[in-house]
Amino acid sequence: MLNRRRMLAVGGLAAGGALVWRARETTSAEASVPSSSVSGHHAHHAGGASPSAGAAEPTAGTGAPPPFRPFSQRLPVPRVLRPVSTMGGTDVYELPLRHAETEFFPGRPAPVLTFGGEFIGPTIRAKAGRRVKVRYVNRLDRAATVHLHGGHVPPDSDGFPMDLIEPGRSRVFDYPNRQQGATLWYHDHTCSREAEHVYRGLAGFYLIEGEDEAALRLPRGAYDVPIMIRDARFDENGGMIFEPSPLPTTLHTNGRLQPYFPVDARKYRFRVLNATLHRIVELDLGGLEMVQIASDGGLLPEPLPRKKIMIVPGERVEIVVDFSAQAVGSKLVLNDVYDGVSEPVMRFDVVRQARDSSRVPGRLRELPEMPAATVVRDVKLSFSASGEEFAINDRTFDPDRVDTRIVEDTTEIWRVTNTDPADTPFGPVQHTFHMHLVPFRVLDRNGGPVLPGENGLKDTVLVRPGETVRVQATFSGYKGRYLYHCHLQEHSDIGMMAQMEIV
């Protein structure tokens, strides 16, 4: 069991607010790292669940990470997975889970867990209304499962955390794609080990392309780029350290530290996912306008020009950036500026002029009507009574217990409240609420306005200490058991997860 201090280290997440640690003097190990190398500007710890989460992948040491040269590695774009069959109106894929190595630091291979042997996993590009089946083959030395985050899928394909694929076995997951186009992602959802498994690499993009998007003439093809932002702590050999700690972590983007990405002087569509364990990031492109066109559940009703964009763990934001006014040779750094401390995420290098027939129309996608809600529920996110776990409505996760029963095709309002403190030694204890199966609409925050970009369909939302966020969802399409939980994966690993049954 975690003691209270270790619990607070896990809980005092990405508020950027572990000010007591940020203000502390640099340790001798950190002082030995050159200023151009990895140091991690935000005082967020790099992982950790309860001791039952099992042993981490071995690393050779715990000293300062190797130096590296910023913007020296090109941002890799994850490959698009090809189906092994397209017969009968269904695209069939095969995707192994396997051990592999990657080089966060050039010349220093580090062990990782992967889909398809790649960090990050390959992208699946699906079409709305066309079924996909994925055969996941477990070639790891441990059991695992896969959740399609944001997917409207049957319960036996949702990746229930106890429904594991054992080593040497395989299982077919059915994704009907009966939903509008959106940026989803697939990741491990193993009970008590999700945080470590995702941290070490078990994640990839799943992009549903809506039929309505082609007519909008948004940037596409090579100008439609998925960007996965993650974080880690590294040892002196460049391997990842996974342990409960409030020490700083360093961001990496598509598996590279502060990469560069060559762009044409034209518009790009970037699908940005915050896949960190618990860091809130706030993106700033040196004041250049970023036009948000989508959130978790797909396109917004209309584009939203923004100079800064906050993204919480598990959340996705799609933006269009127009580089046409930038001179060839320009270099623009995308920074995380959350909580007033800047850390480079990546750099865009404008390399050539290009024709551009894409556009961002004034209207994108109308939201579905919200039926009248017939039930209102209260959902409390907090420390458990013992103070050694996290809980939902004062109960920690029990896979044999149904916490909420919902009648199919009904609409409900959930009042999600974070009752944890804002003034722990490690900063405020924030949570991100995620619901499986269905998207929701954010109605208000403490009775006031929602945050910018929250007017679309969502499946993951920030809930700050002392805050109540009201969300509304219609539970249709499938009957069965699904989860709702905090998407700070260490929090759900140690109890902050519950089960609903659609009947």
Side-chain angles (χ1 to χ4, degrees):
M1 301 292 286
L2 297 177
N3 62 36
R4 179 72 170 179
R5 183 175 179 82
R6 288 165 66 84
M7 267 296 300
L8 290 173
V10 172
L13 74 114
L19 300 179
V20 64
W21 284 88
R22 178 170 297 157
R24 65 178 170 82
E25 295 182 1
T26 305
T27 66
S28 58
E30 289 169 331
S32 68
V33 185
S35 60
S36 62
S37 68
V38 174
S39 61
H41 294 275
H42 289 269
H44 314 313
H45 67 287
S50 66
S52 63
E57 292 295 305
T59 54
T62 57
F68 83 105
R69 186 159 57 91
F71 314 122
S72 61
Q73 301 183 86
R74 179 171 175 150
L75 176 85
V77 177
R79 71 179 175 94
V80 176
L81 192 64
R82 294 181 178 273
V84 297
S85 170
T86 58
M87 303 291 289
T90 299
D91 296 329
V92 180
Y93 296 86
E94 184 166 299
L95 191 52
L97 290 70
R98 59 169 49 143
H99 294 274
E101 291 184 333
T102 194
E103 294 185 3
F104 298 103
F105 299 85
R108 296 178 180 267
V112 289
L113 307 177
T114 72
F115 288 103
E118 302 162 42
F119 192 102
I120 57 177
T123 297
I124 295 176
R125 283 189 174 266
K127 295 187 180 300
R130 182 175 175 87
R131 185 180 299 273
V132 162
K133 292 189 176 182
V134 183
R135 179 174 176 257
Y136 295 104
V137 184
N138 188 355
R139 296 176 182 164
L140 299 171
D141 61 355
R142 69 203 61 196
T145 191
V146 186
H147 169 55
L148 181 59
H149 184 125
H152 186 65
V153 302
D156 57 0
S157 293
D158 193 51
F160 189 72
M162 311 300 293
D163 191 13
L164 302 177
I165 308 170
E166 296 295 333
R169 306 297 295 272
S170 67
R171 183 173 301 159
V172 176
F173 285 60
D174 182 14
Y175 303 144
N177 299 316
R178 296 189 304 197
Q179 59 192 102
Q180 293 180 302
T183 296
L184 313 184
W185 62 303
Y186 61 94
H187 63 80
D188 178 79
H189 215 301
T190 303
C191 188
S192 298
R193 299 200 71 176
E194 177 185 350
E196 182 185 355
H197 285 182
V198 175
Y199 177 84
R200 295 194 178 279
L202 289 181
F205 281 98
Y206 186 102
L207 310 180
I208 301 179
E209 299 174 345
E211 293 181 359
D212 58 336
E213 294 182 33
L216 297 177
R217 288 174 38 206
L218 295 166
R220 57 185 303 179
Y223 304 103
D224 179 359
V225 182
I227 295 176
M228 185 182 294
I229 301 174
R230 310 179 72 162
D231 71 330
R233 287 181 57 224
F234 297 99
D235 66 18
E236 66 268 29
N237 296 304
M240 287 189 289
I241 302 170
F242 181 88
E243 62 183 4
S245 167
L247 295 175
T249 63
T250 298
L251 297 176
H252 53 96
T253 309
N254 286 5
R256 295 292 182 268
L257 297 164
Q258 297 179 21
Y260 72 92
F261 185 62
V263 296
D264 296 344
R266 54 152 292 161
K267 290 186 286 296
Y268 280 75
R269 177 182 185 174
F270 297 112
R271 302 172 185 256
V272 186
L273 160 66
N274 181 344
T276 67
L277 287 187
H278 42 230
R279 281 187 58 169
I280 297 173
V281 299
E282 187 172 21
L283 301 179
D284 181 297
L285 192 52
L288 185 66
E289 184 175 85
M290 301 173 284
V291 180
Q292 183 178 351
I293 61 169
S295 57
D296 303 330
L299 295 174
L300 299 175
E302 57 190 25
L304 177 63
R306 305 181 66 179
K307 294 296 180 68
K308 295 181 181 180
I309 300 178
M310 185 177 72
I311 315 176
V312 304
E315 190 176 27
R316 287 87 66 211
V317 168
E318 295 186 34
I319 59 175
V320 172
V321 178
D322 189 351
F323 297 102
S324 62
Q326 307 301 312
V328 173
S330 299
K331 302 180 189 298
L332 298 92
V333 178
L334 183 68
N335 288 297
D336 169 24
V337 297
Y338 188 73
D339 204 34
V341 181
S342 182
E343 177 179 353
V345 175
M346 61 179 294
R347 190 181 72 189
F348 297 104
D349 295 358
V350 183
V351 296
R352 64 179 180 181
Q353 296 290 334
R355 292 184 178 181
D356 185 8
S357 61
S358 69
R359 66 188 182 113
V360 180
R363 297 297 297 176
L364 295 168
R365 181 183 290 160
E366 298 301 322
L367 291 173
E369 293 185 8
M370 285 197 298
T374 57
V375 176
V376 176
R377 299 184 191 273
D378 287 302
V379 178
K380 184 176 76 169
L381 309 177
S382 66
F383 288 123
S384 66
S386 68
E388 295 181 336
E389 296 170 296
F390 283 111
I392 294 180
N393 289 344
D394 299 317
R395 306 172 92 180
T396 56
F397 178 60
D398 181 345
D400 298 321
R401 184 188 69 233
V402 173
D403 300 275
T404 303
R405 282 187 169 83
I406 300 167
V407 177
E408 186 184 18
D409 294 328
T410 60
T411 298
E412 299 191 355
I413 291 175
W414 290 21
R415 297 184 296 213
V416 185
T417 302
N418 177 356
T419 64
D420 281 334
D423 57 353
T424 78
F426 304 101
V429 182
Q430 308 212 52
H431 298 297
T432 58
F433 177 76
H434 171 53
M435 182 184 290
H436 288 211
L437 179 63
V438 293
F440 52 74
R441 300 273 290 276
V442 184
L443 302 180
D444 55 56
R445 290 178 169 273
N446 281 347
V450 302
L451 298 177
E454 288 187 334
N455 60 319
L457 295 176
K458 297 283 295 167
D459 58 50
T460 306
V461 65
L462 173 67
V463 189
R464 296 168 288 204
E467 188 171 43
T468 295
V469 179
R470 290 197 314 145
V471 303
Q472 180 167 330
T474 299
F475 298 86
S476 61
Y478 298 102
K479 293 182 178 181
R481 296 186 178 186
Y482 295 88
L483 300 172
Y484 54 98
H485 57 88
C486 179
H487 210 279
L488 304 178
Q489 291 156 340
E490 292 163 321
H491 293 190
S492 60
D493 270 358
I494 50 177
M496 191 168 276
M497 186 158 57
Q499 191 170 192
M500 59 184 175
E501 184 174 20
I502 318 300
V503 296

